[in-house]
Amino acid sequence: MSVELNVRPLTAEDAAVYREVRLAALRAAPDAFITTAAEFEARTADSIAAQLTPRQSFVTYGAFLNGELVGLTTLAREERPRLSHRANLLGVSVAPEARGQGCGDALLRAALAQARHWAGVTSLHLAVTETQTAARRLYERHGFRVWGTQPDAVRDDAGRALSEHHLCLRLDETGAERPKDQRRTPKRVRRCIFKSGARDGT
């Protein structure tokens, strides 16, 4: 059975399904995010739709397996003049039942393609808590490297202190575009469509 993997920018029309998938991710892996499920659940439908309305320098991507939204990530470029060479990768998640099928890799490839499309962006940044070892391995496969670790960065629901690793990918370095250790999408994903072109949108 073939699997169709499609990554595209989300829009306000995707707000309802985005809310469902994002809330499920926050509940499934609370230590992976700063936002709590309760905080997100309290948001109005209009605020979520507004977040997903296309605008400059901010795009949320969705990964769809056979038409079902199973993964998310947001790419946000810094807007202040002295920081505009930087972009941040936020809120990466893949539903447990969809893992191992190339969704995380596809989301990162789409985000990296958009970051390279933005003129003047030379580095991409993200942070990952110490408990998220699989996520860190995914980022490192795409060339991200840890440049520092912040102790006592986050407190979980039980009050336990968690460290946070800060990673960076330099887009202006030779060879940064295609790291040697980057894995390819599994062969069982026979058809893969990427829609990450010039149009910005969340």
Side-chain angles (χ1 to χ4, degrees), residues 23-186:
L23 189 56
L26 295 173
R27 288 171 173 165
D31 290 350
F33 306 100
I34 302 300
T35 301
T36 67
E39 286 177 309
F40 184 78
E41 193 170 21
R43 292 186 57 183
T44 66
D46 287 345
S47 74
I48 294 173
Q51 175 186 328
L52 296 178
T53 298
R55 64 187 190 272
Q56 291 294 322
S57 304
F58 191 96
V59 53
T60 294
Y61 288 98
F64 295 79
L65 272 182
N66 296 330
E68 180 181 357
L69 182 63
V70 296
L72 302 167
T73 194
T74 293
L75 180 70
R77 183 177 187 174
E78 297 281 359
E79 295 183 345
R80 298 175 65 184
R82 292 190 175 185
L83 300 178
S84 63
H85 63 287
R86 291 165 36 180
N88 300 300
L89 195 64
L90 309 165
V92 180
S93 68
V94 175
E97 65 274 14
R99 292 172 188 170
Q101 301 192 64
C103 297
D105 283 312
L107 285 166
L108 261 68
R109 286 200 299 273
L112 287 172
Q114 180 61 60
R116 293 188 177 100
H117 173 80
W118 284 334
V121 171
T122 58
S123 61
L124 192 55
H125 301 261
L126 60 86
V128 59
T129 54
E130 61 180 291
T131 58
Q132 305 305 303
T133 54
R136 177 177 168 178
R137 287 196 298 269
L138 169 66
Y139 305 139
E140 290 176 339
R141 288 203 304 272
H142 285 265
F144 285 88
R145 296 293 177 261
V146 174
W147 60 263
T149 299
Q150 181 180 356
D152 197 17
V154 182
R155 292 296 176 102
D156 66 12
D157 292 340
R160 180 176 54 130
L162 299 176
S163 296
E164 191 172 56
H165 303 301
H166 294 269
L167 292 84
C168 175
L169 172 62
R170 292 293 301 268
L171 301 178
D172 57 349
E173 291 181 349
T174 302
E177 183 171 349
R178 189 167 297 185
K180 293 181 180 180
D181 58 346
Q182 179 175 328
R183 296 181 184 176
R184 297 180 179 179
T185 302

